[in-house]
Amino acid sequence: MTAFLVRNIGQRLILLVFISIIAHSVVHLAPGDPSLVDPSNPRMKAEDIARIRAAFHLDDPLYTQYAYWMRDLFTGQLKSFKDNQPVLGKIWDRFLNSLPLFLVTTLLTWFIAFPFGIQSALRRGSLLDRGGTLLSYILISFPGFFLAYICIILVVKVFDVPVIGISTFGLEDAGLWYQSMDRIWHLTIPALIFASGSIAVLSRYVRSQMLEVIHMDYMRTARAKGLSEETVIYKHGLRNALLPFITMFGLMIPGLIGGSVIIETIFSWPGLGRLGFEAIMNRDFPVILTLNFIAAILTLAGTFISDLLYAVADPRIKLQ
Amino acid sequence: MDLAEHSGGTLTDQQITPFREKWNLFRKNRGAVFSLWFLIFLLILSIAGKLLTLYSPPFNPATVRLSEKFLPPLTPFKSDLVKQADAPPFAIYLLGTDELGRDVFSRMLEGTPVSLTIGFVAVGISIFVGIFLGGLAGFYGRIRLGWLTVDTLIMRFVDIMLCFPTFFLILTVVALLPPSIYNIMIVIGLTSWMGTARLVRAEFLSLREQDYVMAARSQAIPEMRIIFQHIVPNAIAPVLVSATIGVATAILTESALSFLGFGVQPPDATWGNILSDGKGYIFDAPWLTFTPGFTILFVVLAFNLCGEGLREAYNPKLRQQR
């Protein structure tokens, strides 16, 4: 077990080093340059650009820049090109905004996808099952930005509620009740749009897992013993069907950054995805690189946790 | 030739080619067959659209008619202010006009070949890289380079690529490079080959040990010929299935990039940037948002359903689960 942990963590650390090198080279070798963001600004003189380049070490060779990046990142000194704020602090602030969105999305996904997937497996071929299958294909194929605009029109026209941003401007003095209701309205629509795609994927997956389990020998044995249908399905069937989903806990973590760029931009939600988009538009290399790095850490940590959880949940699997 | 014996069938069984067998399975999935016809229709439409928008004046998507702004779909053309030469095709605005009085129907036609080309070329690149690296890892995986095997080297590289947040990476590179559709195709292709590489490697690993490969080796057939004539055709089916779904994903990614303002630049139209331009007028001219939006939805849906149908045809065990 200890050997497994040491080797696995070691392998992931090595991968992480390579990921950071590749990310750094991709961003720095691409032709766009941070000092060229605003070329039409008449107050930007050649010597200003030279000063900016020197201040950000942009004239040093790539490996020196990489070393500076790594050193600053781990000492917490890394500053954004745009406003000279510490990168880690900026990311932490945005992370706190993204977190509620992520949590609500995850809860919605799990609480809708699991019952739905199980029911459509149990009633295979019924109207619910076939309708659900078609609906999930439609949801998978729906362009997120289009869905977002449809929802905005619907909510603004039918319910007359503002949905852009994290809360309504000018409501700071309102009572706690109004403020929290306002927050919940602003949270619901983007969370639903985020969740729609994952609900579709996850419920299909739950359904196929459940269908596989239903025909197992131990299900027949359980029925033959005379157990009630509920016990057979929910105790013998569901517990085995759910096993692979433990791994999903780990695999969902990286969704915090990657999946949220467009929806957060449309809803002006000041989260990680929007921070990434702003950083890209401003050629803010330290923020782009650090976000990429954190996403990679989250992915690696996610697969590691899911391996561990799977081994804990399923005694047939031995870690070596 | 042993087919009849194996399946215990009669002579007629022999006449069923593998392709015929798959096609019969595919045909049972009505959604998939309908999607296939829809996609064939779309392909013809996109070729016609390319030719018409380039060479036929009424279809010119860049014709500006400022007095004809924001006309709803199916408005007949009867304006005195616009020259007769600038009339829309069939003298009717099939899908309405936009904020410059351009015909949305012609603009959608112009966008169709762009989106399809990006989808197909991006997936082509990702399949090519996937088969090359996956095949290398599967067939020559045991060769050692120093203290690492080829297999370890390639599969660790796949792991590394899987760790990047894909859309964020695509956005970064596309935003840094000068805007052009070729960059988008290449970037989408180079960030989506990992699944194919894993599939191909698994197929190669099992096919490499098959008797017919052994037989081919014993006849001293060159290795390249074994790989490309004997192994690749047998490994290609699952790749094509995932490629069909890959086209859907690539079209979605492209439309998202165009929507954010990268990719194809304004005078030229794609579905994504028609929607992006139209979203500002969503309350006054909803057709500018809904036409491209539903087009993207239906095309992506058709690719997904078609891919699912193919997957079932090649893997009949899945079908029993439905």
Side-chain angles (χ1 to χ4, degrees):
Chain A
M1 184 71 188
T2 326
F4 168 82
L5 284 181
V6 170
R7 205 184 56 230
N8 246 292
I9 294 177
Q11 274 177 358
R12 285 184 162 79
L13 285 179
I14 296 172
L15 277 189
L16 202 57
V17 173
F18 280 105
I19 290 167
S20 66
I21 293 175
I22 293 178
H24 188 268
S25 347
V26 166
V27 170
H28 277 271
L29 288 177
D33 197 280
S35 56
L36 295 178
V37 172
D38 200 4
S40 54
N41 185 347
R43 276 185 278 182
M44 280 284 247
K45 301 215 177 59
E47 54 265 37
D48 289 329
I49 291 178
R51 223 177 40 237
I52 292 172
R53 293 187 66 89
F56 293 143
H57 310 296
L58 284 175
D59 294 321
D60 294 348
L62 267 187
Y63 55 87
T64 328
Q65 290 188 40
Y66 177 77
Y68 278 125
W69 173 48
M70 276 288 140
R71 188 199 66 190
D72 291 346
L73 182 63
F74 284 105
T75 51
Q77 305 281 311
L78 194 62
K79 297 273 173 51
S80 159
F81 281 178
K82 190 184 158 216
D83 49 13
N84 224 21
Q85 296 292 310
V87 169
L88 289 178
K90 272 178 97 160
I91 290 179
W92 177 250
D93 289 345
R94 296 303 187 96
F95 168 75
L96 291 182
N97 286 335
S98 272
L99 195 61
L101 196 56
F102 178 71
L103 289 180
V104 172
T105 308
T106 314
L107 286 180
L108 275 177
T109 310
W110 291 63
F111 275 98
I112 297 176
F114 275 102
F116 190 77
I118 294 167
Q119 281 308 318
S120 47
L122 293 182
R123 302 183 201 169
R124 190 169 108 200
S126 69
L127 197 64
L128 174 100
D129 183 27
R130 279 185 292 164
T133 304
L134 186 64
L135 184 68
S136 49
Y137 277 119
I138 292 178
L139 284 180
I140 292 171
S141 313
F142 228 113
F145 48 91
F146 181 46
L147 189 60
Y149 277 101
I150 291 183
C151 288
I152 290 176
I153 292 191
L154 207 72
V155 171
V156 172
K157 278 207 162 164
V158 176
F159 298 101
D160 217 4
V161 183
V163 285
I164 302 292
I166 200 166
S167 60
T168 308
F169 180 73
L171 220 63
E172 289 78 13
D173 298 330
L176 187 68
W177 172 250
Y178 280 102
Q179 274 201 31
S180 36
M181 281 310 285
D182 184 53
R183 281 298 192 97
I184 290 173
W185 262 112
H186 280 89
L187 195 62
T188 311
I189 307 301
L192 266 178
I193 293 170
F194 265 138
S196 64
S198 13
I199 290 173
V201 177
L202 191 64
S203 64
R204 297 285 300 163
Y205 196 25
V206 171
R207 178 178 173 278
S208 66
Q209 277 298 323
M210 200 64 197
L211 280 180
E212 207 161 280
V213 167
I214 280 177
H215 299 293
M216 286 291 179
D217 287 343
Y218 54 73
M219 296 289 279
R220 205 179 309 137
T221 317
R223 282 211 184 85
K225 279 197 301 191
L227 294 178
S228 71
E229 193 63 22
E230 262 99 83
T231 324
V232 174
I233 302 267
Y234 290 104
K235 252 189 143 167
H236 292 242
L238 192 58
R239 281 172 73 170
N240 282 293
L242 287 189
L243 220 45
F245 295 101
I246 292 174
T247 60
M248 283 206 141
F249 267 125
L251 298 180
M252 284 177 74
I253 302 173
L256 256 175
I257 296 183
S260 52
V261 179
I262 292 186
I263 302 294
E264 284 188 359
T265 310
I266 291 177
F267 284 94
S268 310
W269 190 274
L272 285 174
R274 194 169 156 73
L275 176 70
F277 184 67
E278 286 163 2
I280 290 173
M281 297 308 277
N282 291 317
R283 306 267 197 280
D284 198 346
F285 288 176
V287 176
I288 300 176
L289 285 173
T290 312
L291 273 178
N292 236 322
F293 191 65
I294 291 175
I297 293 178
L298 289 178
T299 315
L300 289 172
T303 52
F304 182 65
I305 292 172
S306 66
D307 282 0
L308 279 186
L309 280 177
Y310 204 64
V312 172
D314 189 347
R316 285 170 295 186
I317 289 177
K318 289 262 186 318
L319 298 178
Q320 285 153 7
Chain B
M1 61 187 143
D2 279 337
L3 196 81
E5 245 179 74
H6 269 296
S7 53
T10 51
L11 257 176
T12 49
D13 273 2
Q14 280 187 9
Q15 290 156 358
I16 296 180
T17 58
F19 174 77
R20 191 81 215 166
E21 189 191 345
K22 305 280 187 278
W23 174 244
N24 284 339
L25 277 170
F26 183 80
R27 234 173 27 181
K28 284 187 191 142
N29 188 340
R30 267 178 300 163
V33 174
F34 183 74
S35 307
L36 187 66
W37 285 115
F38 177 72
L39 291 178
I40 292 172
F41 167 71
L42 191 77
L43 202 66
I44 296 170
L45 195 70
S46 87
I47 295 170
K50 182 88 193 161
L51 296 175
L52 284 175
T53 49
L54 274 181
Y55 301 113
S56 168
F59 283 93
N60 184 2
T63 311
V64 173
R65 314 172 186 86
L66 284 176
S67 61
E68 304 272 274
K69 288 197 282 197
F70 295 132
L71 291 179
L74 295 177
T75 313
F77 170 80
K78 47 169 187 280
S79 169
D80 306 330
L81 299 167
V82 177
K83 282 179 296 182
Q84 209 41 235
D86 282 350
F90 317 121
I92 186 172
Y93 296 110
L94 266 180
L95 299 171
T97 56
D98 67 0
E99 76 275 16
L100 294 175
R102 292 174 295 190
D103 182 29
V104 178
F105 178 65
S106 304
R107 282 171 65 73
M108 291 297 294
L109 271 186
E110 189 195 10
T112 310
V114 177
S115 295
L116 287 189
T117 317
I118 290 181
F120 282 117
V121 174
V123 168
I125 293 173
S126 94
I127 287 184
F128 181 78
V129 176
I131 289 184
F132 180 73
L133 287 181
L136 212 60
F139 200 84
Y140 293 111
R142 291 180 193 151
I143 294 175
R144 284 186 164 275
L145 301 169
W147 44 277
L148 281 173
T149 59
V150 172
D151 186 53
T152 328
L153 205 66
I154 292 176
M155 293 328 278
R156 286 297 89 79
F157 183 53
V158 169
D159 288 346
I160 289 175
M161 288 300 293
L162 282 173
C163 279
F164 285 107
T166 318
F167 188 72
F168 189 63
L169 183 69
I170 294 176
L171 197 61
T172 312
V173 178
V174 168
L176 294 180
L177 293 175
S180 104
I181 59 168
Y182 302 105
N183 286 338
I184 292 187
M185 294 174 193
I186 294 171
V187 172
I188 294 179
L190 289 185
T191 47
S192 58
W193 52 269
M194 290 83 78
T196 313
R198 285 189 158 178
L199 265 178
V200 172
R201 171 178 174 266
E203 290 285 321
F204 265 62
L205 281 180
S206 73
L207 290 175
R208 194 176 62 181
E209 311 297 331
Q210 300 275 317
D211 288 342
Y212 74 91
V213 175
M214 191 74 87
R217 275 174 189 272
S218 71
Q219 293 172 20
I221 293 174
E223 240 167 17
M224 279 301 133
R225 221 174 114 195
I226 296 184
I227 293 177
F228 286 106
Q229 260 189 1
H230 298 279
I231 300 189
V232 168
N234 283 298
I236 205 87
V239 174
L240 286 185
V241 171
S242 74
T244 316
I245 294 169
V247 176
T249 320
I251 290 178
L252 266 186
T253 311
E254 182 271 329
S255 64
L257 287 174
S258 292
F259 173 80
L260 287 174
F262 305 106
V264 182
Q265 293 302 301
D268 294 319
T270 65
W271 299 336
N273 71 20
I274 295 174
L275 200 156
S276 171
D277 291 344
K279 70 178 193 278
Y281 315 103
I282 191 164
F283 289 102
D284 304 318
W287 58 89
L288 290 181
T289 311
F290 284 90
T291 311
F294 279 115
T295 309
I296 299 170
L297 169 63
F298 289 141
V299 172
V300 172
L301 186 62
F303 274 109
N304 275 332
L305 287 178
C306 213
E308 204 58 31
L310 282 178
R311 174 172 304 184
E312 273 171 12
Y314 277 101
N315 198 351
K317 206 182 128 217
L318 281 176
R319 177 151 188 97
Q320 287 149 20
Q321 279 192 10
R322 273 169 63 92

